[in-house]
Amino acid sequence: MSSTPNVTRVTSDGVTWLASAGTYPRSALALWEERPDAPVVLPCGTVFDVVSAPAIFGRQMLDRLWDDGPGSGPVAVFRGRVLLFAAPGTAQRLPSLLAWEEWGSNRTEAVPPLLCHGTGDAVTVPAPAACDTPGESRWLVAPDTRHPWLPGPGVVLWAAVRAARAAVRISIFPPADQGAKVYDVSRRR
């Protein structure tokens, strides 16, 4: 059972924080005032980075953050992916931490790739008044302050590793040869 907060509406302070990431914050605020249901593309790297994960694995990471960890910053769903908003610099550091954890090895091949968006990248964020319709762009944890807490690369790595361990059983033994003949030798003298 997940204890993820049920904050799906962006507050006016959250809108101000999101708009501050844009090159022209007042334009984003004006757009959202006129069309509060319009998603906007915002640059990453100065106000936030974004770690994008496939929906199911991203939700497992979010559950780990809230059930066993410090919680999360804002989190959105867009086109079948969970967008975890993270501290600036996370996108640059996280891939090397994942490599250190042997993320791409055969042991963890069933774990999906994480996409890290930082300086030079941009993401589409849901509208402040995004609907809760499944399949649509929406907030799972909406920004509600002007300075939301954002997890750094270590916290995101921690959540990814725990979600992976829960999703995939990693064994030190090789898989059994399905074509091998098996003999019961327990009754031999």
Side-chain angles (χ1 to χ4, degrees), residues 4-76:
T4 305
N6 191 13
V7 182
T8 58
R9 296 283 181 228
V10 181
T11 65
S12 61
D13 284 344
V15 168
T16 301
W17 174 73
L18 284 169
S20 74
T23 307
Y24 303 102
R26 287 187 284 186
S27 295
L29 289 171
L31 172 68
W32 277 330
E33 187 173 306
E34 186 178 312
R35 293 192 50 220
D37 58 343
V40 171
V41 176
L42 293 175
C44 300
T46 55
V47 175
F48 55 77
D49 281 359
V50 171
V51 177
S52 173
I56 293 171
F57 190 75
R59 187 56 199 225
Q60 290 168 341
M61 287 177 61
L62 184 60
D63 288 347
R64 294 290 68 76
L65 285 167
W66 283 100
D67 292 347
D68 305 326
S72 72
V75 179

Side-chain angles (χ1 to χ4, degrees), residues 43-151:
C44 300
T46 55
V47 175
F48 55 77
D49 281 359
V50 171
V51 177
S52 173
I56 293 171
F57 190 75
R59 187 56 199 225
Q60 290 168 341
M61 287 177 61
L62 184 60
D63 288 347
R64 294 290 68 76
L65 285 167
W66 283 100
D67 292 347
D68 305 326
S72 72
V75 179
V77 174
F78 184 73
R79 292 192 175 162
R81 296 191 68 88
V82 171
L83 308 177
L84 295 151
F85 287 69
T90 298
Q92 180 181 0
R93 181 77 178 118
L94 186 60
S96 61
L97 293 175
L98 291 169
W100 181 75
E101 283 286 332
E102 299 178 351
W103 200 255
S105 73
N106 290 335
R107 292 179 2 185
T108 58
E109 65 188 15
V111 178
L114 302 178
L115 305 177
C116 299
H117 304 284
T119 303
D121 297 326
V123 295
T124 301
V125 300
C131 63
D132 292 333
T133 307
E136 296 292 323
S137 171
R138 68 185 189 283
W139 291 100
L140 295 177
V141 180
D144 59 354
T145 69
R146 286 181 190 251
H147 304 286
W149 176 77
L150 298 171

